[in-house]
Amino acid sequence: MRNQNKQQDFKKLQTILNELPWYVDEFINHKLRKLSTASLFNYCHDYKIFFNWIVSENLWSGTIKDIPLERLEKMTVLEIESFLNYLHYELDNKELTVNRKLSALKSLFNYLQNIAETPDLKPYISRNVMAKIEFNEVKETMETKANKMEGKILLGDEYERFRLFVANDYGELHKENKKLYNFHQLNKERDTAIVSLILGSGLRLSELIGIDLDDIDFSKYCVRVIRKGNKEQYVFFSQIAMADLQDYLTIRASRYQVDKSNKALFISAPIGPKGKSRRLTARSVEKLIEKYATAFGKPSLSVHKLRHSFATRYHAEINDVPKLRRQLGHSSIQTTMIYTHIKNDDLKTAVDKMDMPKEQAD
């Protein structure tokens, strides 16, 4: 089943590549062994925006597929700055998003100038305008990012309250609405297991939906996942997550009419009289979390925020950044460091004491 998902992602990538110039196809194939198809699809989406902009600005009179290397070689700094302004002001992209798209373009142009070769061993382009363009300076500190995140994640007793809300309270809240109530009754064990597993492990959405039954080690409380960069790793999860998983597995086959050949852990309900159960999609998981989060009174909560919630709690209880980095599958420890800035109660207590009379502070 995992191979089937890979094939589907690869087909999506090929579809968008068919709309882009030949040298983009060559660049993506160069990167195929190093990056996931999802990352490369995002690259192609960014390139499509760039090439469409070139055509819309009359910098090329043909189709985007026919934009030649010579046009890229003659791009000016002013033209690129104009494109970046278009992203920021017309598409309303934030500075980090503009930086990401600029990074994708820099990678492509670097390949064309420094890696790709013509038959007579010359570079595809001799002039690289992207080398002259600097990234936007993002001035947010770790503390600022952490403070923004803090109001959007689960803290304290909210972890268990949200889990119980998914397991029971959502159904009680909608008892008068038969459609919502019955749908919750059908899926509550599955949905609770999903929430519990993310909150008990910090798995990414792509890792969660890719899990097969055989990937779970019930004796060691861990699950085999494929992380970014196509790396295999066994990730530990909590005892509560294990209990919720086992509750779900007792009803999985009968409730969802699952064919024995379907090894996907999380299954969607069959639609229609002849519908077949299938692996739950990423969008389906996002929508169910959005549904529960809104009803819970925390609409900003998302799958990724549940991952952040796990990381925050892990750091508060374990206080071991290298272990947390491995658990989350971060390639850089700097990414993990943000969780050291969330909910710093010791610092807040120290500041509060400054306003107290000395004898009371002591």
Side-chain angles (χ1 to χ4, degrees):
M1 191 64 73
R2 185 179 283 119
N3 287 337
Q4 193 175 8
N5 285 343
K6 280 186 179 179
Q7 290 169 1
Q8 289 172 351
D9 289 343
F10 185 71
K11 284 181 182 177
K12 280 176 60 181
L13 180 60
Q14 293 304 312
T15 300
I16 195 170
L17 278 172
N18 287 335
E19 304 174 38
L20 297 169
W22 63 269
Y23 45 84
V24 176
D25 193 335
E26 187 178 302
F27 167 70
I28 293 298
N29 276 293
H30 169 72
K31 287 284 189 181
L32 202 52
R33 291 180 295 105
K34 303 170 187 175
L35 295 174
S36 69
T37 49
S39 296
L40 293 174
F41 182 85
N42 289 334
Y43 270 39
C44 290
H45 179 70
D46 294 339
Y47 297 148
K48 191 174 176 181
I49 292 172
F50 175 63
F51 290 127
N52 275 325
W53 176 84
I54 288 177
V55 172
S56 70
E57 293 294 307
N58 297 316
L59 300 177
W60 172 250
S61 59
T63 66
I64 67 171
K65 190 173 178 66
D66 296 325
I67 294 174
L69 287 166
E70 291 77 18
R71 188 64 200 74
L72 301 190
E73 194 171 45
K74 292 177 181 177
M75 294 292 294
T76 67
V77 171
L78 285 176
E79 286 171 345
I80 299 303
E81 293 290 358
S82 179
F83 171 67
L84 298 178
N85 287 333
Y86 163 76
L87 293 176
H88 186 64
Y89 293 104
E90 294 192 43
L91 297 190
D92 199 27
N93 287 175
K94 297 189 184 303
E95 289 181 346
L96 283 172
T97 306
V98 174
N99 278 350
R100 180 180 60 76
K101 290 177 177 173
L102 177 57
S103 177
L105 286 169
K106 279 178 172 285
S107 292
L108 173 62
F109 275 67
N110 178 67
Y111 171 79
L112 298 176
Q113 183 188 39
N114 298 314
I115 299 173
E117 295 176 333
T118 63
D120 57 349
L121 305 182
K122 298 287 178 62
Y124 281 3
I125 59 173
S126 58
R127 179 179 167 279
N128 178 2
V129 67
M130 291 298 172
K132 301 180 180 183
I133 308 297
E134 296 181 354
F135 289 107
N136 288 329
E137 184 180 354
V138 181
K139 298 179 180 178
E140 282 188 339
T141 63
M142 285 283 193
E143 286 85 358
T144 303
K145 291 179 182 177
N147 287 336
K148 283 185 176 180
M149 189 191 298
E150 190 173 311
K152 299 176 182 178
I153 63 176
L154 300 173
L155 295 168
D157 65 352
E158 287 182 324
Y159 293 90
E160 184 59 11
R161 285 202 293 115
F162 184 64
R163 175 184 160 274
L164 291 174
F165 181 81
V166 174
N168 300 305
D169 299 346
Y170 181 87
E172 292 300 312
L173 189 65
H174 294 94
K175 209 162 188 177
E176 302 304 315
N177 186 324
K178 284 189 177 181
K179 184 178 179 181
L180 291 179
Y181 178 77
N182 290 337
F183 194 73
H184 178 256
Q185 290 300 110
L186 173 69
N187 295 308
K188 64 180 182 179
E189 288 89 356
R190 182 200 66 187
D191 296 353
T192 304
I194 288 171
V195 167
S196 201
L197 187 55
I198 302 172
L199 285 177
S201 67
L203 289 177
R204 294 182 177 92
L205 175 58
S206 59
E207 296 162 355
L208 179 92
I209 62 169
I211 298 172
D212 286 341
L213 294 172
D214 296 339
D215 292 329
I216 304 170
D217 188 326
F218 291 93
S219 62
K220 295 181 180 177
Y221 287 68
C222 65
V223 59
R224 174 187 174 272
V225 297
I226 304 300
R227 311 220 90 150
K228 283 187 174 181
N230 212 31
K231 297 174 184 175
E232 177 182 296
Q233 183 183 332
Y234 281 85
V235 178
F236 292 101
F237 55 85
S238 67
Q239 293 182 14
I240 292 175
M242 174 64 86
D244 289 337
L245 265 178
Q246 289 177 326
D247 285 345
Y248 161 64
L249 289 174
T250 60
I251 57 90
R252 172 185 170 276
S254 57
R255 181 89 52 87
Y256 295 95
Q257 302 166 36
V258 185
D259 188 278
K260 288 183 179 180
S261 63
N262 189 343
K263 298 297 183 182
L265 173 61
F266 292 115
I267 297 291
S268 65
I271 300 173
K274 294 184 179 180
K276 287 183 68 176
S277 54
R278 62 196 185 282
R279 185 185 296 269
L280 206 60
T281 65
R283 185 58 192 136
S284 295
V285 176
E286 287 174 333
K287 286 172 68 177
L288 73 86
I289 297 299
E290 288 168 9
K291 175 185 74 174
Y292 289 122
T294 301
F296 184 68
K298 203 147 188 166
S300 60
L301 200 59
S302 63
V303 177
H304 203 58
K305 295 298 187 301
L306 292 181
R307 174 172 155 87
H308 287 321
S309 300
F310 162 80
T312 303
R313 188 177 194 179
Y314 186 102
H315 175 70
E317 296 186 5
I318 308 298
N319 193 20
D320 189 323
V321 174
K323 283 183 180 177
L324 176 57
R325 174 192 175 187
R326 186 184 183 284
Q327 179 75 17
L328 295 174
H330 285 159
S331 56
S332 168
I333 201 164
Q334 292 302 316
T335 310
T336 317
M337 288 300 292
I338 189 172
Y339 301 108
T340 66
H341 297 273
I342 295 178
K343 204 67 177 176
N344 193 336
D345 289 329
D346 292 339
L347 179 60
K348 186 178 186 305
T349 301
V351 171
D352 287 344
K353 280 187 176 182
M354 293 171 64
D355 293 330
M356 296 180 186
K358 189 175 187 307
E359 60 276 10
Q360 187 178 345
D362 293 340

